Amino acid sequence: MSAEKKIKAASGWGMLLAVIIAFIVIIAVFVLSIIGLATAEDTGVAASPLYGWGLGLSITAFCLIWIPISGFFTLQPGQARVCILFGNYKGTVRDEGFRWANPFYSRSMGSNSASEDAIASTVTKSGLSLGKSIEVAAKAAGGLSTKVSVRARTLNGDILKVNDKVGNPIEIANVVVWHVKDTAKALFDVDNYEQFVATQAETALRHVASIYAYDHAEDSSDSMDSITLRSNIEEVSTALKHELTQRLAPAGVAVDDARLTHLAYAPEIAQAMLRRQQAEAVIAARKKIVEGAVSMVEMAVEELSRGGQVELDEERKAAMASNLMVVLCGESEAHPVVNAGSLY
């Protein structure tokens, strides 16, 4: 496993001043050498060897001065550069601004067959235009840049169709906020850290969806205490973040947040589950209505019997309770019938 080493890069402004001065000196030597050789030729006097040496050295220096110029680079806030010298990792520069480092540090990680095949397959399936396909192919050939963004990024996952804990097919999607924490691991320990994050986010979501049920199976104490995808959003998000943290640690990626953005039953069972939820709602409403009606009947019987003005035997109490339950629990408006006779 790789580990990030922080190094410092020199300020680019001092090196830029040195390059400008060297460039001026090279031009001055070149011009003076040309003038000296031309003057000697016009006067017919043998030219000094110094003019020849000066001309040759100025031309050689002019060709070599472009090497240190290639060592300039800039880092924006939230960027880092991984320095690789002939295949050896030297360290990571995190200081923003105009910098200068060894001009022989690599500027890209190079390409590999796996990334090229993956991008070629994506281009083939996406139906991109010729110009866009050439651009994507060129990007694949160039490989990963040694400049790595350490800013927070957002990955919006696609809607996946998976089975929950009890086997019900559901549709689920997530959003992951992540950033590169260790640049060395991100570039050296995985092939392509961006593709790695996308793949592991999908794998972790499938795993989390399979260990929890979509909703409570029945109205029981054990079922109501269990964690479900629909009712326990915070617990599920915590479990998803923990799963992603473990999976992305080898790539030097830290997970800032992970949330579900879409959760629904699959279309083939959505209607059946909707009817089930409606039935549960009706049963719960009926239960509440019956509980309230029973308490009101009990209160009515107690109030009538408390003053002693109305004597009710068991049969009359039962008849009054029955009538009150019909009135209180009925869905339609009650139409009372006046009984002028006796109950006996």
Short mmCIF file of all heavy atoms in Angstrom, two decimals, residues 251-310:
data_model
loop_
_atom_site.label_atom_id
_atom_site.label_comp_id
_atom_site.label_asym_id
_atom_site.label_seq_id
_atom_site.Cartn_x
_atom_site.Cartn_y
_atom_site.Cartn_z
N ALA A 251 -8.35 3.07 -1.84
CA ALA A 251 -8.10 4.05 -2.90
C ALA A 251 -7.78 5.43 -2.35
O ALA A 251 -7.64 6.38 -3.14
CB ALA A 251 -9.32 4.14 -3.82
N GLY A 252 -7.63 5.56 -1.04
CA GLY A 252 -7.34 6.87 -0.46
C GLY A 252 -8.46 7.85 -0.57
O GLY A 252 -8.23 9.07 -0.58
N VAL A 253 -9.69 7.37 -0.64
CA VAL A 253 -10.87 8.22 -0.80
C VAL A 253 -11.64 8.25 0.52
O VAL A 253 -11.90 7.20 1.12
CB VAL A 253 -11.77 7.71 -1.94
CG1 VAL A 253 -13.08 8.49 -1.99
CG2 VAL A 253 -11.04 7.82 -3.27
N ALA A 254 -12.03 9.44 0.96
CA ALA A 254 -12.83 9.62 2.16
C ALA A 254 -14.26 9.97 1.77
O ALA A 254 -14.48 10.75 0.84
CB ALA A 254 -12.24 10.72 3.05
N VAL A 255 -15.21 9.39 2.46
CA VAL A 255 -16.63 9.61 2.19
C VAL A 255 -17.16 10.65 3.17
O VAL A 255 -17.11 10.44 4.39
CB VAL A 255 -17.43 8.29 2.32
CG1 VAL A 255 -18.92 8.54 2.04
CG2 VAL A 255 -16.88 7.24 1.36
N ASP A 256 -17.64 11.76 2.65
CA ASP A 256 -18.18 12.82 3.50
C ASP A 256 -19.64 12.57 3.86
O ASP A 256 -20.07 12.84 4.97
CB ASP A 256 -18.05 14.18 2.79
CG ASP A 256 -16.60 14.53 2.51
OD1 ASP A 256 -15.74 14.17 3.33
OD2 ASP A 256 -16.33 15.15 1.46
N ASP A 257 -20.42 12.05 2.92
CA ASP A 257 -21.83 11.80 3.17
C ASP A 257 -22.35 10.82 2.12
O ASP A 257 -21.82 10.75 1.00
CB ASP A 257 -22.63 13.10 3.12
CG ASP A 257 -24.03 12.94 3.72
OD1 ASP A 257 -24.26 11.93 4.40
OD2 ASP A 257 -24.88 13.81 3.50
N ALA A 258 -23.38 10.09 2.49
CA ALA A 258 -24.03 9.14 1.57
C ALA A 258 -25.50 9.09 1.93
O ALA A 258 -25.84 8.86 3.10
CB ALA A 258 -23.39 7.76 1.66
N ARG A 259 -26.36 9.31 0.95
CA ARG A 259 -27.80 9.37 1.18
C ARG A 259 -28.54 8.64 0.07
O ARG A 259 -28.03 8.51 -1.05
CB ARG A 259 -28.29 10.82 1.23
CG ARG A 259 -27.72 11.64 2.36
CD ARG A 259 -28.44 11.39 3.66
NE ARG A 259 -27.79 12.06 4.78
CZ ARG A 259 -28.29 12.07 6.01
NH1 ARG A 259 -29.43 11.46 6.26
NH2 ARG A 259 -27.65 12.68 6.99
N LEU A 260 -29.75 8.19 0.40
CA LEU A 260 -30.64 7.62 -0.62
C LEU A 260 -31.39 8.76 -1.30
O LEU A 260 -31.92 9.65 -0.64
CB LEU A 260 -31.63 6.64 0.00
CG LEU A 260 -31.04 5.41 0.72
CD1 LEU A 260 -32.16 4.52 1.23
CD2 LEU A 260 -30.12 4.63 -0.21
N THR A 261 -31.43 8.72 -2.62
CA THR A 261 -32.16 9.75 -3.38
C THR A 261 -33.42 9.20 -4.03
O THR A 261 -34.26 9.98 -4.46
CB THR A 261 -31.26 10.33 -4.49
OG1 THR A 261 -30.80 9.26 -5.34
CG2 THR A 261 -30.06 11.03 -3.87
N HIS A 262 -33.55 7.90 -4.11
CA HIS A 262 -34.73 7.29 -4.73
C HIS A 262 -34.99 5.96 -4.04
O HIS A 262 -34.07 5.17 -3.84
CB HIS A 262 -34.52 7.08 -6.23
CG HIS A 262 -35.67 6.41 -6.91
ND1 HIS A 262 -36.78 7.09 -7.33
CD2 HIS A 262 -35.88 5.11 -7.24
CE1 HIS A 262 -37.63 6.25 -7.90
NE2 HIS A 262 -37.10 5.03 -7.85
N LEU A 263 -36.24 5.71 -3.69
CA LEU A 263 -36.63 4.45 -3.06
C LEU A 263 -38.08 4.17 -3.41
O LEU A 263 -38.96 4.96 -3.08
CB LEU A 263 -36.44 4.51 -1.55
CG LEU A 263 -36.78 3.23 -0.77
CD1 LEU A 263 -35.84 2.09 -1.19
CD2 LEU A 263 -36.68 3.47 0.73
N ALA A 264 -38.32 3.07 -4.08
CA ALA A 264 -39.68 2.71 -4.48
C ALA A 264 -39.72 1.23 -4.80
O ALA A 264 -38.69 0.60 -5.09
CB ALA A 264 -40.13 3.53 -5.69
N TYR A 265 -40.95 0.67 -4.74
CA TYR A 265 -41.11 -0.71 -5.18
C TYR A 265 -40.95 -0.79 -6.69
O TYR A 265 -41.22 0.17 -7.41
CB TYR A 265 -42.49 -1.24 -4.78
CG TYR A 265 -42.61 -1.64 -3.33
CD1 TYR A 265 -43.41 -0.92 -2.45
CD2 TYR A 265 -41.91 -2.73 -2.82
CE1 TYR A 265 -43.53 -1.28 -1.12
CE2 TYR A 265 -42.03 -3.10 -1.49
CZ TYR A 265 -42.83 -2.37 -0.64
OH TYR A 265 -42.93 -2.73 0.67
N ALA A 266 -40.51 -1.93 -7.17
CA ALA A 266 -40.40 -2.15 -8.61
C ALA A 266 -41.79 -2.09 -9.24
O ALA A 266 -42.80 -2.40 -8.58
CB ALA A 266 -39.74 -3.50 -8.89
N PRO A 267 -41.91 -1.70 -10.50
CA PRO A 267 -43.24 -1.53 -11.14
C PRO A 267 -44.09 -2.78 -11.09
O PRO A 267 -45.32 -2.69 -10.99
CB PRO A 267 -42.88 -1.15 -12.58
CG PRO A 267 -41.53 -0.54 -12.50
CD PRO A 267 -40.82 -1.27 -11.40
N GLU A 268 -43.49 -3.98 -11.14
CA GLU A 268 -44.30 -5.20 -11.19
C GLU A 268 -45.03 -5.51 -9.89
O GLU A 268 -46.00 -6.25 -9.89
CB GLU A 268 -43.43 -6.40 -11.59
CG GLU A 268 -42.24 -6.64 -10.69
CD GLU A 268 -40.97 -5.99 -11.20
OE1 GLU A 268 -41.08 -4.98 -11.92
OE2 GLU A 268 -39.88 -6.48 -10.89
N ILE A 269 -44.55 -4.95 -8.78
CA ILE A 269 -45.25 -5.20 -7.51
C ILE A 269 -45.74 -3.91 -6.87
O ILE A 269 -46.27 -3.95 -5.75
CB ILE A 269 -44.34 -5.96 -6.52
CG1 ILE A 269 -43.16 -5.07 -6.10
CG2 ILE A 269 -43.88 -7.28 -7.09
CD1 ILE A 269 -42.40 -5.61 -4.91
N ALA A 270 -45.59 -2.80 -7.55
CA ALA A 270 -45.96 -1.52 -6.95
C ALA A 270 -47.46 -1.45 -6.65
O ALA A 270 -47.87 -0.99 -5.57
CB ALA A 270 -45.55 -0.37 -7.87
N GLN A 271 -48.30 -1.90 -7.58
CA GLN A 271 -49.74 -1.84 -7.37
C GLN A 271 -50.18 -2.74 -6.22
O GLN A 271 -51.02 -2.37 -5.40
CB GLN A 271 -50.47 -2.23 -8.66
CG GLN A 271 -50.30 -1.24 -9.79
CD GLN A 271 -50.87 0.12 -9.44
OE1 GLN A 271 -51.88 0.23 -8.73
NE2 GLN A 271 -50.23 1.17 -9.94
N ALA A 272 -49.61 -3.95 -6.15
CA ALA A 272 -49.96 -4.86 -5.07
C ALA A 272 -49.55 -4.29 -3.71
O ALA A 272 -50.31 -4.37 -2.73
CB ALA A 272 -49.29 -6.22 -5.29
N MET A 273 -48.37 -3.70 -3.64
CA MET A 273 -47.92 -3.12 -2.39
C MET A 273 -48.73 -1.88 -2.02
O MET A 273 -48.95 -1.60 -0.84
CB MET A 273 -46.43 -2.76 -2.49
CG MET A 273 -45.53 -3.98 -2.53
SD MET A 273 -45.74 -5.00 -1.05
CE MET A 273 -44.67 -6.38 -1.45
N LEU A 274 -49.21 -1.14 -3.03
CA LEU A 274 -50.06 0.00 -2.75
C LEU A 274 -51.38 -0.44 -2.14
O LEU A 274 -51.87 0.17 -1.18
CB LEU A 274 -50.31 0.79 -4.04
CG LEU A 274 -51.24 2.01 -3.92
CD1 LEU A 274 -50.65 3.02 -2.93
CD2 LEU A 274 -51.46 2.65 -5.28
N ARG A 275 -51.97 -1.50 -2.68
CA ARG A 275 -53.21 -2.03 -2.09
C ARG A 275 -52.97 -2.53 -0.68
O ARG A 275 -53.83 -2.36 0.20
CB ARG A 275 -53.76 -3.15 -2.97
CG ARG A 275 -54.33 -2.68 -4.30
CD ARG A 275 -55.15 -3.75 -4.97
NE ARG A 275 -54.34 -4.90 -5.35
CZ ARG A 275 -53.75 -5.03 -6.53
NH1 ARG A 275 -53.87 -4.07 -7.45
NH2 ARG A 275 -53.02 -6.10 -6.82
N ARG A 276 -51.82 -3.14 -0.44
CA ARG A 276 -51.49 -3.61 0.91
C ARG A 276 -51.39 -2.43 1.88
O ARG A 276 -51.91 -2.49 3.00
CB ARG A 276 -50.17 -4.38 0.87
CG ARG A 276 -49.63 -4.78 2.24
CD ARG A 276 -48.35 -5.58 2.07
NE ARG A 276 -47.71 -5.80 3.35
CZ ARG A 276 -46.80 -5.01 3.89
NH1 ARG A 276 -46.44 -3.91 3.26
NH2 ARG A 276 -46.25 -5.30 5.06
N GLN A 277 -50.73 -1.37 1.47
CA GLN A 277 -50.61 -0.19 2.32
C GLN A 277 -51.97 0.45 2.57
O GLN A 277 -52.26 0.91 3.68
CB GLN A 277 -49.64 0.80 1.69
CG GLN A 277 -48.20 0.32 1.65
CD GLN A 277 -47.28 1.28 0.91
OE1 GLN A 277 -47.74 2.26 0.33
NE2 GLN A 277 -45.99 0.99 0.90
N GLN A 278 -52.81 0.48 1.54
CA GLN A 278 -54.15 1.03 1.72
C GLN A 278 -54.95 0.19 2.70
O GLN A 278 -55.68 0.72 3.55
CB GLN A 278 -54.86 1.11 0.37
CG GLN A 278 -54.28 2.17 -0.56
CD GLN A 278 -54.92 2.13 -1.94
OE1 GLN A 278 -55.55 1.13 -2.32
NE2 GLN A 278 -54.73 3.19 -2.71
N ALA A 279 -54.82 -1.13 2.60
CA ALA A 279 -55.54 -2.01 3.52
C ALA A 279 -55.06 -1.80 4.95
O ALA A 279 -55.87 -1.76 5.90
CB ALA A 279 -55.36 -3.47 3.10
N GLU A 280 -53.75 -1.67 5.12
CA GLU A 280 -53.22 -1.43 6.46
C GLU A 280 -53.71 -0.10 7.01
O GLU A 280 -54.02 0.02 8.21
CB GLU A 280 -51.69 -1.45 6.42
CG GLU A 280 -51.09 -2.83 6.16
CD GLU A 280 -49.59 -2.78 6.10
OE1 GLU A 280 -49.04 -1.65 6.07
OE2 GLU A 280 -48.95 -3.85 6.08
N ALA A 281 -53.81 0.92 6.15
CA ALA A 281 -54.31 2.21 6.61
C ALA A 281 -55.77 2.12 7.02
O ALA A 281 -56.19 2.71 8.02
CB ALA A 281 -54.13 3.25 5.50
N VAL A 282 -56.58 1.38 6.24
CA VAL A 282 -58.01 1.23 6.57
C VAL A 282 -58.17 0.48 7.89
O VAL A 282 -58.98 0.86 8.75
CB VAL A 282 -58.74 0.49 5.43
CG1 VAL A 282 -60.15 0.11 5.87
CG2 VAL A 282 -58.79 1.38 4.19
N ILE A 283 -57.37 -0.58 8.07
CA ILE A 283 -57.46 -1.34 9.32
C ILE A 283 -57.06 -0.49 10.51
O ILE A 283 -57.72 -0.51 11.57
CB ILE A 283 -56.56 -2.60 9.22
CG1 ILE A 283 -57.14 -3.58 8.19
CG2 ILE A 283 -56.43 -3.28 10.58
CD1 ILE A 283 -56.23 -4.75 7.90
N ALA A 284 -56.00 0.29 10.36
CA ALA A 284 -55.57 1.16 11.46
C ALA A 284 -56.63 2.20 11.78
O ALA A 284 -56.89 2.50 12.96
CB ALA A 284 -54.25 1.83 11.09
N ALA A 285 -57.28 2.76 10.74
CA ALA A 285 -58.33 3.75 10.98
C ALA A 285 -59.53 3.12 11.67
O ALA A 285 -60.11 3.71 12.61
CB ALA A 285 -58.75 4.39 9.65
N ARG A 286 -59.93 1.92 11.21
CA ARG A 286 -61.06 1.23 11.85
C ARG A 286 -60.76 0.91 13.30
O ARG A 286 -61.64 1.04 14.18
CB ARG A 286 -61.34 -0.07 11.09
CG ARG A 286 -61.95 0.13 9.72
CD ARG A 286 -63.39 0.57 9.83
NE ARG A 286 -64.02 0.68 8.53
CZ ARG A 286 -65.26 1.10 8.35
NH1 ARG A 286 -65.97 1.51 9.39
NH2 ARG A 286 -65.78 1.15 7.14
N LYS A 287 -59.55 0.48 13.57
CA LYS A 287 -59.17 0.18 14.95
C LYS A 287 -59.28 1.41 15.84
O LYS A 287 -59.78 1.34 16.97
CB LYS A 287 -57.74 -0.37 14.96
CG LYS A 287 -57.24 -0.76 16.34
CD LYS A 287 -55.83 -1.31 16.26
CE LYS A 287 -55.32 -1.67 17.65
NZ LYS A 287 -53.92 -2.20 17.59
N LYS A 288 -58.84 2.54 15.31
CA LYS A 288 -58.92 3.77 16.09
C LYS A 288 -60.37 4.18 16.33
O LYS A 288 -60.74 4.64 17.42
CB LYS A 288 -58.17 4.88 15.34
CG LYS A 288 -57.89 6.11 16.17
CD LYS A 288 -56.88 5.81 17.26
CE LYS A 288 -56.51 7.08 18.04
NZ LYS A 288 -55.55 6.80 19.12
N ILE A 289 -61.20 4.02 15.30
CA ILE A 289 -62.62 4.39 15.43
C ILE A 289 -63.31 3.51 16.45
O ILE A 289 -64.09 3.99 17.30
CB ILE A 289 -63.32 4.28 14.06
CG1 ILE A 289 -62.80 5.39 13.13
CG2 ILE A 289 -64.84 4.39 14.22
CD1 ILE A 289 -63.31 5.27 11.72
N VAL A 290 -63.03 2.20 16.42
CA VAL A 290 -63.67 1.28 17.37
C VAL A 290 -63.22 1.59 18.79
O VAL A 290 -64.05 1.59 19.73
CB VAL A 290 -63.34 -0.17 16.99
CG1 VAL A 290 -63.78 -1.13 18.09
CG2 VAL A 290 -64.02 -0.54 15.68
N GLU A 291 -61.92 1.87 18.99
CA GLU A 291 -61.46 2.20 20.34
C GLU A 291 -62.16 3.45 20.87
O GLU A 291 -62.58 3.50 22.03
CB GLU A 291 -59.94 2.42 20.30
CG GLU A 291 -59.14 1.16 20.05
CD GLU A 291 -57.65 1.44 19.95
OE1 GLU A 291 -57.29 2.65 19.96
OE2 GLU A 291 -56.86 0.50 19.85
N GLY A 292 -62.32 4.47 20.02
CA GLY A 292 -63.01 5.68 20.45
C GLY A 292 -64.48 5.44 20.72
O GLY A 292 -65.05 5.98 21.69
N ALA A 293 -65.13 4.61 19.89
CA ALA A 293 -66.56 4.33 20.09
C ALA A 293 -66.79 3.57 21.38
O ALA A 293 -67.75 3.84 22.11
CB ALA A 293 -67.09 3.54 18.89
N VAL A 294 -65.95 2.60 21.69
CA VAL A 294 -66.11 1.83 22.92
C VAL A 294 -65.98 2.74 24.13
O VAL A 294 -66.77 2.65 25.10
CB VAL A 294 -65.07 0.69 22.97
CG1 VAL A 294 -65.03 0.05 24.35
CG2 VAL A 294 -65.39 -0.35 21.91
N SER A 295 -65.00 3.63 24.14
CA SER A 295 -64.85 4.53 25.28
C SER A 295 -66.04 5.47 25.42
O SER A 295 -66.48 5.78 26.55
CB SER A 295 -63.55 5.33 25.13
OG SER A 295 -63.61 6.16 23.99
N MET A 296 -66.63 5.92 24.30
CA MET A 296 -67.79 6.80 24.35
C MET A 296 -69.03 6.06 24.85
O MET A 296 -69.83 6.61 25.63
CB MET A 296 -68.07 7.38 22.95
CG MET A 296 -67.00 8.35 22.48
SD MET A 296 -67.26 8.92 20.80
CE MET A 296 -68.74 9.90 21.02
N VAL A 297 -69.18 4.81 24.46
CA VAL A 297 -70.31 4.01 24.96
C VAL A 297 -70.19 3.78 26.45
O VAL A 297 -71.17 3.90 27.22
CB VAL A 297 -70.40 2.68 24.19
CG1 VAL A 297 -71.40 1.74 24.87
CG2 VAL A 297 -70.81 2.92 22.75
N GLU A 298 -68.99 3.43 26.89
CA GLU A 298 -68.78 3.23 28.33
C GLU A 298 -69.09 4.50 29.11
O GLU A 298 -69.73 4.47 30.18
CB GLU A 298 -67.34 2.79 28.59
CG GLU A 298 -67.01 1.40 28.08
CD GLU A 298 -65.56 1.05 28.31
OE1 GLU A 298 -64.81 1.96 28.73
OE2 GLU A 298 -65.17 -0.10 28.06
N MET A 299 -68.65 5.63 28.61
CA MET A 299 -68.90 6.90 29.29
C MET A 299 -70.39 7.21 29.31
O MET A 299 -70.93 7.69 30.33
CB MET A 299 -68.14 8.02 28.58
CG MET A 299 -68.30 9.39 29.22
SD MET A 299 -67.36 10.65 28.34
CE MET A 299 -68.20 10.63 26.76
N ALA A 300 -71.12 6.95 28.22
CA ALA A 300 -72.56 7.23 28.18
C ALA A 300 -73.32 6.38 29.17
O ALA A 300 -74.21 6.85 29.90
CB ALA A 300 -73.09 7.00 26.76
N VAL A 301 -73.00 5.08 29.25
CA VAL A 301 -73.68 4.18 30.19
C VAL A 301 -73.40 4.59 31.62
O VAL A 301 -74.30 4.61 32.48
CB VAL A 301 -73.25 2.72 29.92
CG1 VAL A 301 -73.81 1.80 31.02
CG2 VAL A 301 -73.73 2.27 28.56
N GLU A 302 -72.17 4.95 31.92
CA GLU A 302 -71.82 5.36 33.28
C GLU A 302 -72.51 6.65 33.67
O GLU A 302 -73.00 6.79 34.80
CB GLU A 302 -70.30 5.52 33.39
CG GLU A 302 -69.53 4.21 33.31
CD GLU A 302 -68.04 4.44 33.38
OE1 GLU A 302 -67.64 5.63 33.49
OE2 GLU A 302 -67.26 3.46 33.33
N GLU A 303 -72.59 7.62 32.76
CA GLU A 303 -73.24 8.89 33.07
C GLU A 303 -74.74 8.72 33.30
O GLU A 303 -75.33 9.37 34.17
CB GLU A 303 -72.99 9.88 31.94
CG GLU A 303 -71.56 10.37 31.84
CD GLU A 303 -71.12 11.18 33.04
OE1 GLU A 303 -71.99 11.82 33.67
OE2 GLU A 303 -69.92 11.17 33.37
N LEU A 304 -75.39 7.85 32.53
CA LEU A 304 -76.83 7.64 32.71
C LEU A 304 -77.14 6.89 34.01
O LEU A 304 -78.16 7.14 34.65
CB LEU A 304 -77.39 6.85 31.52
CG LEU A 304 -77.47 7.61 30.19
CD1 LEU A 304 -77.87 6.68 29.07
CD2 LEU A 304 -78.46 8.77 30.31
N SER A 305 -76.23 6.01 34.39
CA SER A 305 -76.48 5.22 35.60
C SER A 305 -76.03 5.92 36.87
O SER A 305 -76.45 5.55 37.97
CB SER A 305 -75.76 3.86 35.49
OG SER A 305 -76.18 3.17 34.35
N ARG A 306 -75.21 6.95 36.73
CA ARG A 306 -74.65 7.57 37.91
C ARG A 306 -75.69 8.36 38.71
O ARG A 306 -75.74 8.31 39.93
CB ARG A 306 -73.51 8.51 37.50
CG ARG A 306 -72.79 9.16 38.68
CD ARG A 306 -71.64 10.02 38.19
NE ARG A 306 -70.69 9.20 37.41
CZ ARG A 306 -69.69 9.69 36.71
NH1 ARG A 306 -69.52 11.01 36.66
NH2 ARG A 306 -68.88 8.88 36.05
N GLY A 307 -76.58 9.08 38.06
CA GLY A 307 -77.55 9.90 38.80
C GLY A 307 -78.70 9.11 39.41
O GLY A 307 -79.40 9.60 40.30
N GLY A 308 -78.91 7.91 38.96
CA GLY A 308 -80.01 7.10 39.49
C GLY A 308 -81.37 7.44 38.91
O GLY A 308 -82.38 6.86 39.31
N GLN A 309 -81.43 8.37 38.00
CA GLN A 309 -82.71 8.74 37.40
C GLN A 309 -83.15 7.75 36.33
O GLN A 309 -84.34 7.57 36.10
CB GLN A 309 -82.62 10.15 36.80
CG GLN A 309 -82.31 11.24 37.82
CD GLN A 309 -82.17 12.60 37.17
OE1 GLN A 309 -82.26 12.71 35.96
NE2 GLN A 309 -81.97 13.62 38.00
N VAL A 310 -82.18 7.12 35.71
CA VAL A 310 -82.51 6.15 34.66
C VAL A 310 -81.94 4.81 35.10
O VAL A 310 -80.75 4.67 35.34
CB VAL A 310 -81.91 6.56 33.30
CG1 VAL A 310 -82.24 5.52 32.23
CG2 VAL A 310 -82.44 7.93 32.89
#
